[in-house]
Amino acid sequence: MNEGAKAVKAYVAALAAAAVAVTVLTDATAGSPAWGALPVLAALLVAGEYLFVRFRYGGEISTINLVEAVLAPMLFAFSAPVVVATVAATQVAGAVLRRNAVVKSAFNVAQWSLAAAVGAAVMATAGEPGAFTTERVAALIVALAVVGLVNHVAFAGVLAMINHRSPLAVARELGTVLVVGWFLGWAVNTLIGLLFALAYSTHAAAVVLFAVPLAVLHIAYRGYAGARSDRLRLTGLHRAARSLAGPLDPGHAIEGFLRDVAEAFEATAAALVFDERPERVIHRVDAGGYTVVTEPAESSSLEGVMCACAGAVRVTGNGHPWSEALVEAGWRDCLTAPLVEDGRTLGALVVYDQAGLEGFEAGELAVLEAVARETVATFAKGRLLATMLEERQKLAEIVGTTSDGILTIAADGRVRTWNPALERITGIAAADAVGKPALEGLEPVTVNGQPVGLDRWADDLVLPAELRITAADGEQRRLSCSYSRSEDETLVVVARDTTTVEEMAQLREEFGQLVAAEEAQREVVEQLRQAVVPPRPVLAGADLGVAFLAPDETAPTGGDLFDWHVLPTGELHLAVVDVLGHGVAATKDALSVVSTLRILSLQGCPLEDLVARADDLLAADQREIVATVVVARFDTRTGRLLLVSGGHPPALVVSGDGSVRQVAATGSAIGWPGAGSDGVAEESLQPSDTLVLYTDGLVEARKNIVEGIEVLMRHAALAAHLPAEELATQLLERAVSGAQRRDDTLALVMRATSVGEHRHEQVWRASPAAEEVGAVRRQVTEWMAARELDVDDIDDVRLVVSELLTNAVVAARSTVTVHVAVDSGRVHVWVSDDGGSAPDLSTAGHLPVPDNAQAGRGLFLVRSVMDDVTALTNEIGTTVRCVKRLRRVAVDEPPTDSFAAHGPA
């Protein structure tokens, strides 16, 4: 037994001894009491243990108990021994009925016995019971005051012992509550005592009617306390809702919100649970402060049970299905309401251990559920705001890195925003342009020389599609402009510098005359196409693919060009160039840029200086070329990727698991003032990771560059399993599908593979027509034979291609693709169709097909022949990839003791 328990028991024993002593020393003689009324009073005394009302005074919770009120007539009518004995017996009966703890029951018996003995002793000073005299009334009032004082002093004493504090300290802390409680109890007791005295002096039988005013008083005060508690609770919940909705991000107000909810529900603690798979996040406010706990979503904790509730419920420690989880968590009871949005449960709002005050007990579940709905709505608004801010940030980044000049003009003609590209075009800094009349100092005129007043756009002026300006350096520049008006009365102007286009017009005209004859033009174009496509480098550790599409089908070259070659260091050099302009003239300039970049790379020019140095060389040659570039160097031995940019869209890295991220390298385009890259971006590629470089035609086909980049990232994730050549083709075809092509479009793909791979590969495409499918089978067989593979291996591959083609042509909408690659000791086969998502193929073909089955044998034969078969199906289509170990290594390939850890799929 610890010292605190010993002290409490000694304190209870002292109270009991004091009660006995006061009873013995009190005059036990009394008149002729109404003994028939004693059972009624005793029953009321037991009932008084249940007739209490909890109420809040300031920050404290107290009760008014009607036991003292029942003592009043007993003190008036009976002798001290009878009063003390009756009080002690009824306290024991009440403790048994309420199943109180032994120590608590003993304290109640001793406390009330002592209070009754002291009150009886005071009443004994007024003599024997008799008429309703002034002396007995005064004695009753004093006796009841003493009873209340003894009770409150005894209660303060036990609090001091339990909390290991001095009685004076407890009295100072609870002084106001103790005085108010004592006064209210004394007033109630005096009223009941006087009513009883009047009734008893009239007739003893009137004692039976004593229960009526007692019940009326209890009901009246309970109603008052309930109404007051309801008002305080609803006020607190209103304050909680305001505190959560106040900040822009509701997550910053969770602590204050939970404190308001706990106070409004008179609860020990409150929690907000978010079921964020695969984790569950619990925000809780209790006596220990504000905490945030994370646990696995599969955990069977109390909060996990709460998240599974379909509606608001109350959980208690006895008889409830979740009582065990409640007790294990250390709570007595709790109320919970789910957080539901669009039919999906996001978590729960929970309050623990209510104080049990009077109020809306029947409706508190409905109120908690309403608070939970308001909480979900507030967080939904917060997510919407966060999304809007994120989109605004994305737009700001794009506006800041785009090669087009963008400015916004208010209705009064003054500039609101001025992006970096416009600074480069005009030579005027944003700080000098914002707040000034639009294009002030740039002398804007139309192509016909008419002055342009963009500062008066709000007067419904006709705005020119092209205009000329005089830049800060005195150079004349030509701008192609587009305009749009926003809802806040702002004009948005997008200006592209087309100065070099005008200068190149004569060259395009001369070239058109040279290729006037259609046949001659086709011949020149074909020869030019062959000239600008560099040979594919043979490099272990990298799978390469490229796709290009010009807006004019009769001239399949343009200003979008690429380059790939192996440097003396063994690194792979990749470059993508987008020259302003279209057709053969743009190809000529693009070749100059590509050649310059290659020469500088072979000479060992540092990557960070490459763009700026190329601009210097091209300018020295008096070539006015405007081009955006992106250059990458990849070390197949380490997986290290370095990237620089000159005004080019961000590159993409597609991980083996299909996740996509942007690699943004910033800088100014060749031909602009201050051309060069701002720095070197670095990435580390793992086998099966893929780098995607592209030109703006791939993301501007739908006139919205933000949407274009997001769509490209989604397409790259869906097609991540395809070989490099197929992935490049898919990205290009899906980007321009259904869109009006206005620019050249190029996609270059490099997938990192294991260094040990030495690969021969070929791709065949065909429509679902039967004659084309047969031709593909023959071509695959001939290609395999040219690799001098074992005859059995060739037969196996022919069988696999035949079976997979048979399935693909049935599902395909327009195209079937066969891709075969032979590396160090293995052959890979991919067969793809564009028929959209197919039923789950992961389990198909593992077991033999019944003889009477109409289909399904093909995939079983494929799995029987090949060592590994995987299938992927999504909205793009279906691809089946097969791998087989060769019986004999292909020709022209060095032997190896290990096989590639990752294939291109």
Side-chain angles (χ1 to χ4, degrees), residues 495-517:
R496 172 166 292 187
D497 187 358
T498 60
T499 306
T500 56
V501 176
E502 182 181 8
E503 296 172 352
M504 293 166 57
Q506 186 176 357
L507 293 176
R508 286 199 300 268
E509 182 179 354
E510 293 175 357
F511 181 78
Q513 293 174 355
L514 293 176
V515 292

Side-chain angles (χ1 to χ4, degrees), residues 540-542 571 633-642 653 661 682-689 691 750-755:
E571 296 174 298
R633 287 183 183 171
F634 177 59
D635 191 334
T636 59
R637 295 159 296 186
T638 64
R640 185 187 186 202
L641 173 70
L642 301 178
V653 172
R661 62 184 184 275
E682 182 173 348
E683 290 281 333
S684 179
L685 301 187
Q686 302 297 321
S688 78
D689 287 353
L691 172 69
M750 183 211 69
R751 173 172 287 119
T753 63
S754 292
V755 177

